Amino acid sequence: MIRPILFYPDKRLREPGKDVEVFDAELHRLIDDMAETMYAAPGVGLAAPQLGISKRLFIVDVASGEDEPSDLRVFINPEIIAAEGETTFNEGCLSFPGIREDIDRAERITVRALDQDGKPFELEAEGLLAIAIQHENDHLNGELMIDHLSVLRRRLVHRSMSKRAAVDAAQ
Ligand code: NI
């Protein structure tokens, strides 16, 4: 089931997520819904707080080509335990439709997380996967791409998103 995605400046996007403790059918249903919602958008990542669910859970799939098989990865209660290097990428976010901004991130990371069955794993990532993991991980802490921008860019993006919210509210 496709679920509605919250748009900035919705305050729920600022709530830090709580650890997932139960790995049951309901969690699997949520993950299925998140994947369906992400692919429909389309996007390369989606975090539970973007659906108004304050849980430490996100998914990413950076396989972009139409012929490429999907590469869905699920991260639950994740922790970035190592980060090195620096890279800049023109990022978007499903909670900021139409906005793309250059954002600095670590180039390589190591993340420790649980999979959908609660099994721990560790992953070293670089490139787009590392960027997507850092972006989605921010969402679990109530942090958003706008927080990485200069004061001026932040003000411009805030104004543009607030205007959009006002138009949506009037409809
Ligand atoms: Ni995002």
Side-chain angles (χ1 to χ4, degrees):
M1 186 182 74
I2 294 175
R3 303 201 193 187
I5 297 171
L6 303 183
F7 297 145
Y8 178 90
D10 194 304
K11 287 193 167 54
R12 287 170 287 177
L13 290 169
R14 290 300 191 184
E15 273 176 41
K18 293 188 186 66
D19 275 344
V20 173
E21 281 161 3
V22 184
F23 295 80
D24 58 1
E26 195 186 329
L27 178 72
H28 292 168
R29 221 161 20 238
L30 171 60
I31 292 167
D32 286 348
D33 286 357
M34 285 175 65
E36 205 179 330
T37 304
M38 178 181 76
Y39 289 127
V44 298
L46 184 70
Q50 292 180 276
L51 302 181
I53 295 160
S54 262
K55 284 189 177 160
R56 298 185 56 80
L57 155 66
F58 66 78
I59 59 171
V60 297
D61 186 347
V62 296
S64 51
E66 263 180 48
D67 311 326
E68 239 175 300
S70 75
D71 184 24
L72 184 68
R73 293 163 189 262
V74 178
F75 298 82
I76 299 174
N77 304 345
E79 245 186 301
I80 294 175
I81 55 171
E84 61 172 18
E86 230 181 88
T87 186
T88 304
F89 187 76
N90 195 241
E91 294 184 23
C93 177
L94 294 178
S95 294
F96 290 79
I99 306 275
R100 293 204 77 93
E101 291 287 337
D102 284 343
I103 292 177
D104 298 330
R105 303 275 184 191
E107 196 176 15
R108 284 175 300 279
I109 58 156
T110 306
V111 59
R112 190 180 283 162
L114 305 177
D115 71 9
Q116 54 194 328
D117 300 312
K119 203 172 123 222
F121 67 94
E122 217 173 272
L123 175 77
E124 282 175 37
E126 57 180 12
L128 185 54
L129 181 59
I131 291 164
I133 290 169
Q134 291 171 82
H135 177 116
E136 299 312 326
N137 192 63
D138 274 359
H139 278 295
L140 307 189
N141 300 321
E143 285 169 28
L144 301 169
M145 63 183 280
I146 195 170
D147 305 333
H148 293 272
L149 303 180
S150 68
V151 173
L152 175 65
R153 294 302 308 165
R154 201 179 307 165
R155 200 170 292 159
L156 289 171
V157 170
H158 176 79
R159 198 172 298 163
S160 143
M161 288 301 301
S162 301
K163 211 175 279 175
R164 184 198 159 100
V167 170
D168 285 352
Q171 276 170 352

